[in-house]
Amino acid sequence: MKQPFPLFPPNASSVATEVDLLYLFIAAISAFFVVLVAALVVIFTIKYRRRHEDEVGADIHGSLVAELTWTFIPLVLSLVMFFWGADLAFRLARPPVDSMEIFVVGKQWMWKVQHPDGTREINQMHVPIGRNIRLTMGSEDVIHDYSIPAFRVKMDVVPGKLTTMWFNATTPGTYHLFCAEYCGTKHSGMIGEVIVMEPQDYEAWLAGGTAGPAVPPAQAGEQLFTQNACITCHSGLPGAIGPSLGGVFGSERRLADGRTVLADDNYLRESIMTPLAKVVGGYQPVMPPFQGLVSEEQLMQLMAYIKTLKPAAAAPPQ
Ligand code: CUA
């Protein structure tokens, strides 16, 4: 039902209600104390006003009870806000492992979206309900911010790194999509729609297809892996110039300088764009940087392909 004067955006994701409750809790506590303090100022001003010319105020030397009260009540209230907020923030920061991955690239001034089967769209994003969906996001130019108020999620989209966010849509419908970071002249036009559909409608929409056959990102990445001759060094064969990439994603990597790092999205990104930043132990720093040679989209495709490489079948098809 459409409200005549909506105070909140529609509620269409699994976390929306909890985000609203936390927001209302903080707003209610703040409002209560604003009213309390303002009212006491007025009441005390009247009650304790000077009534005679020679009246002198009482000499009060503190009160342990009063000081403990005004210390502990705000302490407890702010700790509730902290732990509640931290719990929610941690859950929002960690996409569930079973999430379906959708790639988002921001550029002045549009949003490019690619689905796991390769289907692309611009300034729209179709998603099925009831599914954990993880967005992996990059920018081709400046800082943008992918914001879906109806899901109560937003995240900066930053050049030079990848960011993620996730949601689980609960209610079919069409919702606003905004860029929430000022990014130039047409920032206000960098908007779109998120279309939440029943799973079978989403499948039908994917099958309906856009222009041309859709190439899944991992498959496009495999082609790039060959075209850019990555396969020459990362052949997975004994004595190869570069380390095998089988099972690399999510693994611990021991570097030449002795550090150990987790091979996450940003590690893969950095290792492609500026490989000398973190050289794996036992290998020479000889890989050329691909910064400027592959676009953000191609980078995501390469990463999608690398994520499919299993440790056992380390050698990609020759
Ligand atoms: Cu992109 Cu504002």
Side-chain angles (χ1 to χ4, degrees):
M1 198 187 76
K2 200 153 176 75
Q3 298 163 274
F5 179 63
L7 286 173
F8 282 87
N11 177 326
S13 84
S14 56
V15 297
T17 301
E18 199 179 348
V19 171
D20 288 354
L21 282 176
L22 175 61
Y23 176 80
L24 284 172
F25 174 74
I26 294 173
I29 296 280
S30 306
F32 173 78
F33 281 101
V34 165
V35 171
L36 179 70
V37 170
L40 287 178
V41 166
V42 172
I43 290 167
F44 289 168
T45 305
I46 295 167
K47 186 172 176 193
Y48 298 110
R49 71 187 186 277
R50 200 179 201 189
R51 287 158 210 264
H52 316 288
E53 271 297 306
D54 53 354
E55 198 171 343
V56 176
D59 194 6
I60 299 172
H61 288 274
S63 154
L64 187 63
V65 174
E67 286 178 21
L68 288 176
T69 307
W70 76 52
T71 302
F72 277 99
I73 291 178
L75 177 71
V76 168
L77 289 174
S78 45
L79 282 180
V80 169
M81 291 176 197
F82 172 76
F83 283 110
W84 189 355
D87 173 54
L88 192 54
F90 284 136
R91 277 185 282 138
L92 282 172
R94 292 189 187 134
V97 285
D98 64 354
S99 300
M100 170 175 119
E101 189 171 35
I102 293 180
F103 293 116
V104 174
V105 174
K107 60 175 283 194
Q108 291 169 319
W109 286 276
M110 63 170 80
W111 294 109
K112 299 192 282 187
V113 173
Q114 188 169 28
H115 295 259
D117 78 334
T119 302
R120 294 166 188 281
E121 49 187 333
I122 288 178
N123 291 345
Q124 281 196 324
M125 183 171 68
H126 290 72
V127 293
I129 62 165
R131 187 86 189 265
N132 293 329
I133 293 170
R134 166 198 164 121
L135 306 182
T136 298
M137 307 187 290
S139 167
E140 283 185 15
D141 36 46
V142 300
I143 303 178
H144 303 278
D145 187 310
Y146 206 69
S147 167
I148 310 169
F151 296 170
R152 310 293 189 273
V153 291
K154 67 198 283 283
M155 179 54 75
D156 278 1
V157 178
V158 183
K161 67 180 282 194
L162 295 168
T163 53
T164 58
M165 75 181 190
W166 76 277
F167 56 82
N168 188 321
T170 52
T171 317
T174 300
Y175 305 102
H176 286 297
L177 162 66
F178 294 113
C179 178
E181 184 75 48
Y182 181 69
C183 56
T185 312
K186 291 181 186 161
H187 155 73
S188 63
M190 196 169 164
I191 57 176
E193 297 177 326
V194 177
I195 298 117
V196 178
M197 314 168 95
E198 297 290 345
Q200 65 271 24
D201 294 341
Y202 173 71
E203 294 303 326
W205 175 81
L206 285 179
T210 41
V215 181
Q219 198 180 319
E222 185 174 2
Q223 288 164 12
L224 288 167
F225 200 76
T226 309
Q227 282 164 18
N228 287 293
C230 313
I231 197 168
T232 313
C233 299
H234 297 286
S235 61
L237 300 173
I241 296 171
S244 163
L245 300 181
V248 63
F249 183 69
S251 69
E252 296 274 335
R253 306 291 272 173
R254 183 164 290 282
L255 304 183
D257 60 12
R259 280 182 299 161
T260 303
V261 294
L262 176 69
D264 58 7
D265 281 334
N266 277 309
Y267 170 85
L268 290 187
R269 183 186 197 288
E270 183 183 56
S271 296
I272 295 169
M273 296 306 216
T274 51
L276 304 191
K278 295 193 177 77
V279 176
V280 172
Y283 292 91
Q284 294 302 311
V286 292
M287 178 170 159
F290 281 81
Q291 184 99 53
L293 299 179
V294 295
S295 68
E296 286 299 321
E297 260 185 307
Q298 291 174 325
L299 178 89
M300 289 178 180
Q301 291 164 350
L302 277 169
M303 290 178 41
Y305 170 61
I306 291 169
K307 287 178 189 178
T308 66
L309 298 175
K310 299 281 178 292
Q318 300 286 334

